[in-house]
Amino acid sequence: MDMSVVETIFTYASFVLLALCGLALVRVIKGPTAPDRVIGVDTINTFVICMMVLFGAAHHEIIYIDIAIIYALLSYIATLFVAKYLEKGKF
Amino acid sequence: MIPEIAIYVCLGISLFFSALGAIGILRFPDFYTRLHPATKCTTFGGIFACFAAIIFGIWKGIDGMKSGDMSMFVLSIHVFIVLVCLLLTNPTGAHAIARAAHRSGVYPKTWGGKPVEVDVLYKEKEKMVEVARLTKTDNILLSEDTKNTKSANSTKEANE
């Protein structure tokens, strides 16, 4: 499909977010403690959600945005589970 | 023309704050300061990315309404659901991970033997340990925790 100017800019914006994911990945690899790695992964999750929304808008695909909803909820559950694990609490 | 400018402004704000978040998570000195860019800035950037997509959906939906195509309105409604999920889940997860980090023994960076930030939770914990010592309640988890933190603090001071 041929893209208009706005859709092309959506695509470029999601590429910029991909580069920012790389920056957050540096913190995930370097992070001195476990919670540092967790917030690095959390940041990457938020960026991926934004990328899915922008790609869905650029390609006129609603299914990408539905997947972003599920991704947001699952990453939240994952963060809560890791937090409980670090806290040594009971589930 | 006006919707395009609104989309560009929203995308610019979104990318700017996301970049601030990604740089801040690299540059800040300890976990609790890193939590600020990692949650506030990226949430703000996500909100504006969703706004851009919502404006785009409404704009294209009005264009397509003449030919009876409503799918872009559906797209902007779904993006609104993403926005609600983002707003509900991101701060809650940050709160949970901050509390878990504090309870698992990650403390703010010390400078000259004093914590840089005001650590209210740590004072409360010391008070709880004191009460446990006075009343001779055998709380193994609590005592182990404080031992760890004391040794961690002493090693930090030795490093500096």
Side-chain angles (χ1 to χ4, degrees):
Chain A
M1 80 184 257
D2 50 337
M3 285 179 147
S4 68
V5 180
V6 180
E7 289 151 2
T8 316
I9 284 181
F10 274 149
T11 313
Y12 285 145
S14 53
F15 283 137
V16 174
L17 282 175
L18 186 66
L20 295 178
C21 278
L23 283 184
L25 195 64
V26 173
R27 176 52 69 194
V28 175
I29 294 165
K30 258 171 65 176
T33 60
D36 281 317
R37 296 173 207 271
V38 177
I39 58 168
V41 172
D42 210 29
T43 311
I44 292 177
N45 285 336
T46 314
F47 287 158
V48 169
I49 292 164
C50 295
M51 280 161 64
M52 281 178 180
V53 168
L54 293 180
F55 261 122
H59 291 267
H60 297 203
E61 290 276 359
I62 299 172
I63 189 76
Y64 293 171
I65 295 165
D66 291 338
I67 292 170
I69 298 169
I70 306 300
Y71 192 89
L73 295 175
L74 282 181
S75 75
Y76 171 60
I77 292 169
T79 308
L80 282 192
F81 262 75
V82 175
K84 270 290 179 194
Y85 171 72
L86 290 173
E87 214 173 311
K88 303 183 187 72
K90 286 173 187 156
F91 286 102
Chain B
M1 193 64 198
I2 293 173
E4 288 178 0
I5 292 173
I7 289 169
Y8 296 153
V9 169
C10 283
L11 270 185
I13 295 172
S14 160
L15 289 184
F16 178 68
F17 276 90
S18 299
L20 283 188
I23 293 168
I25 200 175
L26 279 180
R27 297 281 305 160
F28 274 138
D30 74 348
F31 170 72
Y32 297 95
T33 45
R34 269 175 219 140
L35 205 58
H36 289 267
T39 57
K40 280 183 187 169
C41 290
T42 57
T43 308
F44 199 69
I47 289 169
F48 274 91
C50 290
F51 278 169
I54 287 173
I55 294 169
F56 179 74
I58 292 172
W59 177 45
K60 288 287 175 186
I62 290 172
D63 273 1
M65 211 161 55
K66 292 157 195 162
S67 57
D69 179 22
M70 302 294 276
S71 67
M72 292 309 277
F73 282 127
V74 179
L75 185 138
S76 68
I77 290 169
H78 285 218
V79 175
F80 184 74
I81 298 172
V82 173
L83 181 59
V84 171
C85 289
L86 213 61
L87 282 180
L88 281 180
T89 59
N90 238 344
T92 324
H95 183 250
I97 193 70
R99 199 181 62 158
H102 197 278
R103 289 197 179 164
S104 69
V106 178
Y107 288 102
K109 199 177 185 183
T110 53
W111 194 67
K114 282 181 185 173
V116 176
E117 297 129 20
V118 179
D119 195 353
V120 180
L121 272 178
Y122 185 63
K123 282 177 194 159
E124 280 185 5
K125 197 173 200 176
E126 276 182 333
K127 221 180 285 172
M128 278 164 63
V129 172
E130 188 67 21
V131 168
R133 197 179 60 80
L134 288 177
T135 57
K136 298 264 192 322
T137 44
D138 191 16
N139 196 336
I140 298 167
L141 188 72
L142 207 59
S143 56
E144 269 182 6
D145 266 8
T146 45
K147 253 186 255 164
N148 286 340
T149 59
K150 272 175 188 165
S151 61
N153 281 345
S154 60
T155 49
K156 266 183 197 167
E157 283 161 18
N159 285 338
E160 287 161 6

